[in-house]
Amino acid sequence: MPKHTIAHYHRNAARFQAQYDSVAAADVHADWASLLQGRTPGRALDVGAGSGRDALWLAQQGWQVTAVEPAQGLRERGQHATGEQVQWCDSQLPHLSDLDTPAQGYDLILLSAVWMHLPPSDRSQAFTRLVELLSTIGLLIITLRFGPSDPERPMYAVSVDELAQLAQSQGMVLSVLGEGESQDRLARAEVSWQTVCLHAAGSENA
C-alpha cells in the first residue's frame, strides 16, 4: 500500500474508527458469515484490520486472530478496542513480513476494503503471499469496492476477472458470494461492493 495512503489513515484514525465502528461486522460481512457456520475456529488473519471491528468479531466467535494494520493511529486504537483478544502486527501487503505465522498456515484470511488500495503492479505478488499464508483447508475472503477514488487515499480499479486469473495461476478456486454488487453499508450511493471467496482446489471446501 502506498505510504501516503497509510499516512492518511494514520492522521485521520479517529474519524475512520468512528466510521468503521458505526456498522456491525456481522452486517458488513453478511455475504460470507454463513461460511463460518460448522467450521471449527482456528487461526485467522485480518489484513488491513483498521479499527479492529472485524478482528474482534472473529475473536468473539472463537478464532485466534492476528490483525495486520500499517497505519499506526488505527493500529493503536484497534489494540485498545480489542485488548488481549487479538494479536496485532505492523505489516502490509504485498510482502506481509514479520508475521508470527502458524506452521500450518491461517484457516481464514480476510481482506475487507483493502484490495482497491493495492496498485495493480503489486497484486500478483500480494496474492501469491496470501496463498502462501493460507492453510490447505483455509478460506481467503476479499471484498471488492466499486466507486470513485479518493485523492487522499487513491483507489485502483478492481474486478472479479482479475482475481479469477490470479486464482487460476495459483491453483485456487474462486466463488462470487451474494447476488451481484451489494449496496454500501455507509449509504454512499456511488459505492458498491462484491465479495469473493477463494480456497485451494481439491480442498474439503470444494
Side-chain angles (χ1 to χ4, degrees):
M1 186 182 296
K3 291 182 179 179
H4 58 279
T5 298
I6 297 172
H8 179 72
Y9 278 108
H10 167 68
R11 290 193 305 270
N12 298 279
R15 174 165 64 87
F16 283 116
Q17 181 188 41
Q19 182 184 81
Y20 299 154
D21 293 352
S22 69
V23 186
D27 292 334
V28 173
H29 301 301
D31 281 348
W32 66 272
S34 62
L35 297 178
L36 300 184
Q37 297 176 6
R39 294 180 69 92
T40 301
R43 294 288 298 269
L45 180 67
D46 185 3
V47 180
S51 67
R53 177 199 64 195
D54 300 341
L56 182 60
W57 172 63
L58 290 171
Q60 290 171 341
Q61 297 179 67
W63 291 83
Q64 300 176 53
V65 185
T66 297
V68 171
E69 176 53 57
Q72 181 182 347
L74 275 174
R75 189 174 63 254
E76 291 175 349
R77 288 173 177 273
Q79 288 174 315
H80 179 75
T82 62
E84 296 182 355
Q85 296 182 76
V86 174
Q87 177 183 350
W88 285 80
C89 178
D90 176 8
S91 190
Q92 61 181 287
L93 287 169
H95 304 293
L96 284 177
S97 54
D98 300 323
L99 282 178
D100 180 17
T101 307
Q104 73 276 16
Y106 290 96
D107 303 305
L108 175 67
I109 299 179
L110 173 63
L111 273 75
S112 179
V114 171
W115 194 251
M116 75 281 189
H117 283 313
L118 279 176
S121 58
D122 286 345
R123 289 178 180 169
S124 178
Q125 183 179 16
F127 191 84
T128 298
R129 178 60 173 147
L130 291 168
V131 172
E132 289 175 351
L133 292 170
L134 196 66
S135 75
T136 57
I137 61 169
L139 298 178
L140 170 58
I141 305 292
I142 301 178
T143 66
L144 300 177
R145 179 192 188 277
F146 302 96
S149 182
D150 182 340
E152 297 294 334
R153 45 177 187 145
M155 302 173 191
Y156 306 91
V158 298
S159 72
V160 172
D161 287 344
E162 177 195 41
L163 281 177
Q165 292 177 10
L166 291 171
Q168 184 177 26
S169 70
Q170 294 290 328
M172 302 290 287
V173 176
L174 179 148
S175 300
V176 179
L177 306 179
E179 299 180 1
E181 296 176 19
S182 60
Q183 295 180 339
D184 181 59
R185 295 291 179 174
L186 295 173
R188 294 171 294 189
E190 73 281 7
V191 176
S192 61
W193 299 85
Q194 199 160 30
T195 304
V196 299
C197 173
L198 302 111
H199 61 80
S203 75
E204 66 180 39
N205 297 301

